[in-house]
Amino acid sequence: MRLRRIVMPEIARAGEVIEIRTVILHPMITGHTAAGAGVSGRRIVHTFHVHYDGAEVFRAELGPGIAANPLLTFTTVATRTGDVVFTWMDDTGETAVETRLLTVAPA
Amino acid sequence: MRRGVAGKALRRALAAVFAAIAPFAAEAEPKARSAREFLSLELAAEQADETLNRGMLWVELGERLWKDGSVPSGRSCASCHGQPGGMRGVATRYPAINRETGALVNIEGRINGCRVQHQSLPALAYESEELLALTALVAHQSKGMIMSVAVDGAARGFLEQGRAVYESRQGQLNIACSQCHEQNVGRKLRGDVISSGLGVGYPAYRLTWQGLGSLHRRLKACQQGVRAAEFEPGSTEHLSLELFLAWRARGIPIETPGIRR
């Protein structure tokens, strides 16, 4: 299992903008070889998406130009209590999923 | 008239005071400056915030290894040492002389000593993720504490050995460590600003490495920079240099895990 880290509040008020930070330990191998043309053995996280209370609130398509151990920070608006589900997918089909409960108090 | 005499006496007294201070003032070195002082705003923010600092992922990995009792002897680091917090202050004293063998060891060496002697496990390879993680975990416990290595007794010889390397020109470019890290601190070299070349942030997450690396790996990079024959990580040459750097850093706080460019 790849180490990952998610930093976000556990509790927010309805309507509040919250910041979410994520990091995953991943080598992001571009597959470009020193020998020159051609790509082989590419292994990067190509997609990262986040669902909150069932709806997608953030999505990133990553390319080979992204450095190892991608650190992604974004904001979203707290609406109501629900799970925030983070998914990273890499070239080998490996998928990492993390879930955090966000408790929302009335504004 | 009386004022004149008093004035003269005062001047004499002051002159005596300055004469007494002068030798110390001349000896006082300018304070060493960590690479942290020259980081870009983004990297400084990443280092300062442990929730963002990518080096902390290795510290976390170190915590898992620390508790791992699935070794043949059944003895995890924790079974002897308790919580990692018990290692607070340890990194301020390393490298240090191992009393049994008389050898100079750094944290990496000390951890491998425990693996071999106390866990019946083979030593971890120098730049392996496991050794980096455990070293980062141990050093991180001393974050914010100031370096204070012992340089008396058997350590003295190693210190002088380290100093000799530090002050000697080396490589095709024929430049000594001190020429960059003492005479040109604060000045630019390619994309970097030269710091005092201290080890207080290591193991550090370096963007160039896209991961965590040891102090000795950084020293190799500096030797490569001047096209010198590189010392091997874990070698006595690197350990003596590490001790000399730690002595230069006396009074400077530990930052592990540092973030570097």
Side-chain angles (χ1 to χ4, degrees), chain A residues 1 3-5 7 21 23-25 27-28 67-71 73, chain B residues 46 49-54 56-58 60-61 64 129 205 210-211:
Chain A
M1 195 191 66
L3 273 180
R4 53 240 176 194
R5 176 169 281 218
V7 183
R21 300 170 183 167
V23 187
I24 186 164
L25 208 61
M28 298 292 279
N69 313 318
L71 187 164
T73 299
Chain B
E46 181 175 347
D49 182 346
E50 286 188 5
T51 64
L52 267 179
N53 184 325
R54 276 173 281 186
M56 288 303 293
L57 290 168
W58 276 262
E60 230 172 278
L61 190 65
R64 291 190 193 180
E129 296 285 289
Y205 188 93
Q210 304 213 6

Short mmCIF file of all heavy atoms in Angstrom, two decimals, chain A residues 1 3-5 7 21 23-25 27-28 67-71 73, chain B residues 46 49-54 56-58 60-61 64 129 205 210-211:
data_model
loop_
_atom_site.label_atom_id
_atom_site.label_comp_id
_atom_site.label_asym_id
_atom_site.label_seq_id
_atom_site.Cartn_x
_atom_site.Cartn_y
_atom_site.Cartn_z
N MET A 1 0.84 -1.20 0.00
CA MET A 1 0.00 0.00 0.00
C MET A 1 0.87 1.25 0.00
O MET A 1 1.83 1.32 0.74
CB MET A 1 -0.90 0.00 1.24
CG MET A 1 -2.02 0.99 1.15
SD MET A 1 -2.88 1.20 2.74
CE MET A 1 -1.63 1.94 3.75
N LEU A 3 1.89 4.98 0.82
CA LEU A 3 1.57 5.94 1.86
C LEU A 3 0.91 7.15 1.24
O LEU A 3 1.31 7.60 0.19
CB LEU A 3 2.85 6.40 2.55
CG LEU A 3 3.34 5.55 3.71
CD1 LEU A 3 4.61 6.16 4.26
CD2 LEU A 3 2.28 5.47 4.78
N ARG A 4 -0.12 7.63 1.88
CA ARG A 4 -0.71 8.88 1.41
C ARG A 4 -1.15 9.66 2.63
O ARG A 4 -1.28 9.11 3.74
CB ARG A 4 -1.86 8.63 0.46
CG ARG A 4 -2.90 7.71 0.99
CD ARG A 4 -3.03 6.51 0.08
NE ARG A 4 -3.97 5.57 0.64
CZ ARG A 4 -4.09 4.33 0.23
NH1 ARG A 4 -3.34 3.86 -0.74
NH2 ARG A 4 -4.96 3.52 0.78
N ARG A 5 -1.38 10.92 2.40
CA ARG A 5 -1.71 11.79 3.52
C ARG A 5 -2.79 12.74 3.06
O ARG A 5 -2.72 13.30 1.97
CB ARG A 5 -0.44 12.54 3.91
CG ARG A 5 -0.64 13.55 4.97
CD ARG A 5 0.69 14.03 5.45
NE ARG A 5 1.28 13.06 6.36
CZ ARG A 5 1.98 13.42 7.44
NH1 ARG A 5 2.16 14.69 7.70
NH2 ARG A 5 2.49 12.51 8.24
N VAL A 7 -5.05 16.04 4.52
CA VAL A 7 -5.23 16.99 5.60
C VAL A 7 -6.46 17.83 5.28
O VAL A 7 -6.52 18.50 4.24
CB VAL A 7 -4.00 17.91 5.76
CG1 VAL A 7 -4.20 18.85 6.93
CG2 VAL A 7 -2.74 17.08 5.93
N ARG A 21 -5.75 19.04 1.47
CA ARG A 21 -4.42 18.78 0.92
C ARG A 21 -4.19 17.28 0.85
O ARG A 21 -4.54 16.56 1.77
CB ARG A 21 -3.34 19.34 1.84
CG ARG A 21 -3.43 20.82 2.04
CD ARG A 21 -2.47 21.17 3.14
NE ARG A 21 -2.57 22.57 3.44
CZ ARG A 21 -2.03 23.12 4.52
NH1 ARG A 21 -1.39 22.37 5.38
NH2 ARG A 21 -2.13 24.40 4.72
N VAL A 23 -1.33 14.12 -0.50
CA VAL A 23 -0.04 13.68 -1.03
C VAL A 23 -0.08 12.17 -1.14
O VAL A 23 -0.64 11.50 -0.27
CB VAL A 23 1.14 13.98 -0.07
CG1 VAL A 23 2.47 13.66 -0.73
CG2 VAL A 23 1.13 15.41 0.41
N ILE A 24 0.48 11.63 -2.21
CA ILE A 24 0.66 10.17 -2.29
C ILE A 24 2.12 9.90 -2.64
O ILE A 24 2.73 10.62 -3.43
CB ILE A 24 -0.30 9.52 -3.32
CG1 ILE A 24 -0.17 7.99 -3.27
CG2 ILE A 24 -0.05 10.04 -4.74
CD1 ILE A 24 -1.31 7.25 -3.94
N LEU A 25 2.66 8.88 -2.00
CA LEU A 25 4.04 8.48 -2.28
C LEU A 25 4.01 7.63 -3.55
O LEU A 25 3.52 6.50 -3.54
CB LEU A 25 4.55 7.65 -1.09
CG LEU A 25 6.04 7.64 -0.80
CD1 LEU A 25 6.54 9.04 -0.48
CD2 LEU A 25 6.33 6.74 0.39
N PRO A 27 6.36 7.03 -7.42
CA PRO A 27 7.58 7.44 -8.14
C PRO A 27 7.32 8.22 -9.43
O PRO A 27 8.23 8.90 -9.93
CB PRO A 27 8.29 6.12 -8.43
CG PRO A 27 7.22 5.09 -8.41
CD PRO A 27 6.21 5.57 -7.40
N MET A 28 6.12 8.14 -10.01
CA MET A 28 5.80 8.85 -11.25
C MET A 28 6.88 8.63 -12.31
O MET A 28 7.52 9.56 -12.81
CB MET A 28 5.62 10.36 -10.99
CG MET A 28 4.49 10.70 -10.04
SD MET A 28 2.83 10.35 -10.69
CE MET A 28 2.51 11.78 -11.73
N ALA A 67 6.12 15.77 -11.05
CA ALA A 67 7.19 15.15 -10.25
C ALA A 67 6.64 14.03 -9.37
O ALA A 67 5.43 13.90 -9.19
CB ALA A 67 7.86 16.21 -9.38
N ALA A 68 7.57 13.25 -8.82
CA ALA A 68 7.20 12.15 -7.93
C ALA A 68 6.45 12.70 -6.70
O ALA A 68 6.58 13.87 -6.36
CB ALA A 68 8.45 11.42 -7.47
N ASN A 69 5.69 11.83 -6.07
CA ASN A 69 4.99 12.16 -4.82
C ASN A 69 4.09 13.39 -4.96
O ASN A 69 4.26 14.38 -4.26
CB ASN A 69 5.99 12.35 -3.68
CG ASN A 69 7.02 11.24 -3.66
OD1 ASN A 69 6.68 10.08 -3.84
ND2 ASN A 69 8.28 11.59 -3.48
N PRO A 70 3.14 13.34 -5.90
CA PRO A 70 2.34 14.53 -6.18
C PRO A 70 1.53 15.02 -4.98
O PRO A 70 0.88 14.24 -4.29
CB PRO A 70 1.43 14.10 -7.33
CG PRO A 70 1.54 12.63 -7.43
CD PRO A 70 2.82 12.22 -6.80
N LEU A 71 1.64 16.31 -4.78
CA LEU A 71 0.98 17.00 -3.67
C LEU A 71 -0.08 17.88 -4.31
O LEU A 71 0.23 18.75 -5.10
CB LEU A 71 2.06 17.83 -2.97
CG LEU A 71 1.78 18.57 -1.67
CD1 LEU A 71 3.11 18.95 -1.04
CD2 LEU A 71 0.97 19.83 -1.87
N THR A 73 -3.54 20.30 -3.72
CA THR A 73 -4.34 21.05 -2.76
C THR A 73 -5.50 21.70 -3.50
O THR A 73 -5.31 22.23 -4.59
CB THR A 73 -3.47 22.14 -2.09
OG1 THR A 73 -2.41 21.50 -1.40
CG2 THR A 73 -4.27 22.96 -1.09
N GLU B 46 6.50 24.56 2.71
CA GLU B 46 6.34 23.10 2.78
C GLU B 46 7.13 22.55 3.96
O GLU B 46 6.65 21.68 4.69
CB GLU B 46 6.79 22.41 1.48
CG GLU B 46 6.59 20.90 1.59
CD GLU B 46 6.89 20.11 0.31
OE1 GLU B 46 7.03 20.71 -0.77
OE2 GLU B 46 6.98 18.87 0.43
N ASP B 49 5.41 23.38 7.43
CA ASP B 49 4.11 22.79 7.72
C ASP B 49 4.22 21.26 7.64
O ASP B 49 4.31 20.69 6.56
CB ASP B 49 3.10 23.32 6.70
CG ASP B 49 1.69 22.79 6.96
OD1 ASP B 49 1.54 21.84 7.75
OD2 ASP B 49 0.75 23.35 6.37
N GLU B 50 4.18 20.61 8.79
CA GLU B 50 4.40 19.17 8.80
C GLU B 50 3.31 18.40 8.07
O GLU B 50 3.52 17.26 7.67
CB GLU B 50 4.58 18.65 10.23
CG GLU B 50 5.92 19.05 10.76
CD GLU B 50 6.27 18.43 12.11
OE1 GLU B 50 5.49 17.60 12.60
OE2 GLU B 50 7.32 18.81 12.64
N THR B 51 2.15 19.02 7.88
CA THR B 51 1.12 18.30 7.15
C THR B 51 1.39 18.34 5.65
O THR B 51 0.86 17.56 4.89
CB THR B 51 -0.29 18.90 7.41
OG1 THR B 51 -0.31 20.23 6.91
CG2 THR B 51 -0.61 18.90 8.88
N LEU B 52 2.21 19.30 5.21
CA LEU B 52 2.54 19.42 3.79
C LEU B 52 3.89 18.79 3.46
O LEU B 52 4.12 18.34 2.35
CB LEU B 52 2.68 20.90 3.43
CG LEU B 52 1.49 21.67 2.90
CD1 LEU B 52 1.91 23.11 2.66
CD2 LEU B 52 0.99 21.07 1.62
N ASN B 53 4.79 18.80 4.43
CA ASN B 53 6.18 18.38 4.25
C ASN B 53 6.23 16.93 3.78
O ASN B 53 5.86 16.00 4.50
CB ASN B 53 6.90 18.54 5.59
CG ASN B 53 8.37 18.24 5.51
OD1 ASN B 53 8.80 17.36 4.77
ND2 ASN B 53 9.15 18.97 6.28
N ARG B 54 6.71 16.73 2.54
CA ARG B 54 6.72 15.37 2.00
C ARG B 54 7.71 14.46 2.70
O ARG B 54 7.57 13.24 2.66
CB ARG B 54 6.94 15.41 0.49
CG ARG B 54 5.64 15.66 -0.24
CD ARG B 54 5.84 15.86 -1.69
NE ARG B 54 6.29 17.22 -1.98
CZ ARG B 54 6.44 17.70 -3.21
NH1 ARG B 54 6.18 16.94 -4.25
NH2 ARG B 54 6.83 18.94 -3.39
N MET B 56 7.81 14.05 5.72
CA MET B 56 7.08 13.42 6.82
C MET B 56 6.51 12.05 6.42
O MET B 56 6.20 11.23 7.28
CB MET B 56 5.96 14.34 7.32
CG MET B 56 6.44 15.55 8.09
SD MET B 56 7.46 15.15 9.54
CE MET B 56 6.23 14.35 10.60
N LEU B 57 6.36 11.81 5.11
CA LEU B 57 5.88 10.49 4.68
C LEU B 57 6.90 9.42 5.07
O LEU B 57 6.53 8.29 5.42
CB LEU B 57 5.65 10.47 3.17
CG LEU B 57 4.46 11.30 2.68
CD1 LEU B 57 4.52 11.45 1.17
CD2 LEU B 57 3.15 10.64 3.08
N TRP B 58 8.18 9.77 5.02
CA TRP B 58 9.21 8.80 5.41
C TRP B 58 9.24 8.65 6.94
O TRP B 58 9.51 7.57 7.44
CB TRP B 58 10.59 9.23 4.89
CG TRP B 58 10.84 8.81 3.47
CD1 TRP B 58 11.55 7.71 3.07
CD2 TRP B 58 10.38 9.44 2.27
NE1 TRP B 58 11.55 7.64 1.69
CE2 TRP B 58 10.85 8.68 1.18
CE3 TRP B 58 9.60 10.58 2.02
CZ2 TRP B 58 10.60 9.03 -0.14
CZ3 TRP B 58 9.35 10.92 0.71
CH2 TRP B 58 9.83 10.15 -0.35
N GLU B 60 6.66 8.79 8.75
CA GLU B 60 5.53 7.90 8.99
C GLU B 60 5.91 6.44 8.71
O GLU B 60 5.57 5.53 9.47
CB GLU B 60 4.39 8.30 8.05
CG GLU B 60 3.06 8.48 8.73
CD GLU B 60 2.06 9.07 7.76
OE1 GLU B 60 2.06 10.31 7.58
OE2 GLU B 60 1.28 8.31 7.16
N LEU B 61 6.64 6.25 7.60
CA LEU B 61 7.12 4.91 7.25
C LEU B 61 8.05 4.41 8.36
O LEU B 61 7.98 3.24 8.77
CB LEU B 61 7.88 5.00 5.93
CG LEU B 61 8.29 3.71 5.24
CD1 LEU B 61 7.07 2.94 4.80
CD2 LEU B 61 9.16 4.04 4.01
N ARG B 64 6.17 2.98 11.27
CA ARG B 64 5.70 1.60 11.05
C ARG B 64 6.82 0.62 11.27
O ARG B 64 6.63 -0.43 11.89
CB ARG B 64 5.19 1.44 9.62
CG ARG B 64 3.93 2.21 9.39
CD ARG B 64 3.35 1.82 8.06
NE ARG B 64 2.31 2.78 7.71
CZ ARG B 64 1.59 2.73 6.61
NH1 ARG B 64 1.81 1.77 5.75
NH2 ARG B 64 0.67 3.62 6.39
N GLU B 129 15.36 2.91 1.43
CA GLU B 129 14.20 3.63 1.96
C GLU B 129 14.00 3.34 3.45
O GLU B 129 13.64 4.23 4.21
CB GLU B 129 12.92 3.22 1.21
CG GLU B 129 12.92 3.58 -0.26
CD GLU B 129 12.70 5.06 -0.53
OE1 GLU B 129 11.58 5.53 -0.32
OE2 GLU B 129 13.66 5.74 -0.93
N TYR B 205 14.16 15.96 2.01
CA TYR B 205 13.43 15.72 0.76
C TYR B 205 13.96 16.72 -0.25
O TYR B 205 13.79 17.93 -0.08
CB TYR B 205 11.92 15.93 0.97
CG TYR B 205 11.10 15.50 -0.23
CD1 TYR B 205 10.58 14.23 -0.32
CD2 TYR B 205 10.86 16.38 -1.29
CE1 TYR B 205 9.83 13.82 -1.42
CE2 TYR B 205 10.13 15.99 -2.40
CZ TYR B 205 9.62 14.71 -2.46
OH TYR B 205 8.89 14.31 -3.55
N GLN B 210 13.66 13.78 -6.10
CA GLN B 210 12.26 13.36 -6.05
C GLN B 210 12.04 12.39 -4.89
O GLN B 210 11.30 11.41 -5.00
CB GLN B 210 11.85 12.70 -7.37
CG GLN B 210 12.11 13.64 -8.53
CD GLN B 210 11.10 13.49 -9.65
OE1 GLN B 210 10.13 12.76 -9.55
NE2 GLN B 210 11.33 14.22 -10.72
N GLY B 211 12.73 12.66 -3.80
CA GLY B 211 12.56 11.78 -2.65
C GLY B 211 13.48 12.20 -1.53
O GLY B 211 14.14 13.24 -1.60
#
